[in-house]
Amino acid sequence: MSGSGATQLPAEFFQQPGVTGMVHLAALPGANSCSQSLAATIRQACRDARALESGGAVAVIVENFFDGPFARRRVPRHTLAGMTLAAAAVRRAVQLPMGLNVLRNDARSAIAIAHLCGGAFVRINVFVGAAVTDQGILQGAARSAVAYRSRLGANVQLWADVDVKHGATLGTYPVERAAADAAGRGGAAAIIVSGSTTGQPADAGEVRRVAQALPGTPVLVGSGASVERVGEYLPHAAGFIVGTSLKRNGDVSAPIDADRVRALVRALRHGPDVHATS
């Protein structure tokens, strides 16, 4: 069984750092703060995806960002249905590879949506180990994710956070050891290093240490990337997952601003002194 219309990651995807842009879905039907129709949310998601594509992003991630408070394990059926419809629409709207992140840590739902809607990868917030979060203690999802992907025959990469934002990792082992476990024992295709909360910069030292510990595994900066800060992470970052700084006026609740996407892409290509939109 195969997914429909997938745009897979090309072999050279991680050879040059690029921008993977977040498509933050408005609160879906059934969520506490839902204030608009699913049709309106899907139109907004497609507009954001097109802005990311026109600005030069290399991929997009569809995420139920505004659905909080999030489910600790499996998302409700209505959330799964809404995200599937949104992802399918985004897949039709742009030619970029698409990823899924089903918050808070529903790896199997993300894999299912990606597989059936033409996604190329999923982001999993707690992949190995455990973390204390606002949802309680989240357990690593590596085993269930790998087994479910195999069951579906899904050609979907697993991108794993380490020391995930909005959480505190249980245990005292260093982030580079968690990254090694995620890649070596869990089978993650890429490792994500983020700041403590949404939009907060990742620690450049952590990015460097993880990249040095895993020379064969792409390491992505998962939060806080901006035109002003991007130089801190090069040459160790293989890519950047970006949401807040690409929004109009840097407001996480605003639409994606294609000019901000272009400015960040230029900074990656030509250096961080490019400040077309600040």
Side-chain angles (χ1 to χ4, degrees):
M1 182 177 181
S2 61
S4 58
T7 298
Q8 297 301 322
L9 298 180
E12 66 276 10
F13 184 82
F14 292 114
Q15 290 182 3
Q16 184 175 21
V19 174
T20 294
M22 296 303 305
V23 175
H24 289 148
L25 298 177
L28 294 165
N32 183 59
S33 57
C34 181
S35 61
Q36 64 184 33
S37 70
L38 180 59
T41 293
I42 290 174
R43 287 193 297 271
Q44 179 181 322
C46 290
R47 286 195 298 268
D48 280 351
R50 292 188 188 101
L52 288 165
E53 184 173 50
S54 69
V58 296
V60 299
I61 300 178
V62 178
E63 179 182 82
N64 56 325
F65 182 83
F66 289 103
D67 270 1
F70 301 109
R72 186 160 67 96
R73 294 189 180 92
R74 300 287 295 276
V75 296
R77 293 182 179 92
H78 50 267
T79 302
L80 178 59
M83 288 198 71
T84 301
L85 290 171
V90 168
R91 174 68 287 183
R92 293 190 297 268
V94 297
Q95 298 300 309
L96 298 177
M98 179 182 71
L100 269 296
N101 189 18
V102 181
L103 299 171
R104 179 62 158 116
N105 204 48
D106 194 344
R108 292 202 297 173
S109 289
I111 291 168
I113 297 170
H115 177 57
L116 295 175
C117 295
F121 61 94
V122 299
R123 179 179 186 175
I124 303 173
N125 291 164
V126 182
F127 191 65
V128 296
V132 178
T133 72
D134 50 317
Q135 292 78 40
I137 296 177
L138 298 182
Q139 300 281 354
R143 179 176 171 82
S144 63
V146 170
Y148 190 62
R149 181 178 63 173
S150 178
R151 177 182 176 185
L152 289 181
N155 186 15
V156 173
Q157 287 190 1
L158 308 178
W159 292 10
D161 279 272
V162 290
D163 199 14
V164 67
K165 59 189 174 184
H166 298 285
T169 300
L170 291 175
T172 58
Y173 54 88
V175 66
E176 53 267 36
R177 178 178 165 187
D181 283 344
R185 294 165 66 88
I191 300 298
I192 303 168
V193 179
S194 298
S196 59
T197 60
T198 298
Q200 290 301 304
D203 185 292
E206 285 192 355
V207 175
R208 172 182 52 79
R209 294 199 306 274
V210 171
Q212 290 174 343
L214 297 172
T217 302
V219 177
L220 307 172
V221 173
S223 70
S226 64
V227 168
E228 295 79 9
R229 302 189 66 100
V230 72
E232 299 177 20
Y233 303 110
L234 299 174
H236 302 292
F240 297 83
I241 299 174
V242 193
T244 305
S245 72
L246 302 181
K247 304 292 187 77
R248 185 183 302 157
N249 299 322
D251 178 357
V252 72
S253 63
I256 293 288
D257 183 338
D259 287 337
R260 283 180 169 258
V261 183
R262 293 186 189 98
L264 184 56
V265 170
R266 284 197 298 269
L268 287 176
R269 298 292 179 265
H270 306 295
D273 292 329
V274 180
H275 297 290
T277 58
S278 58

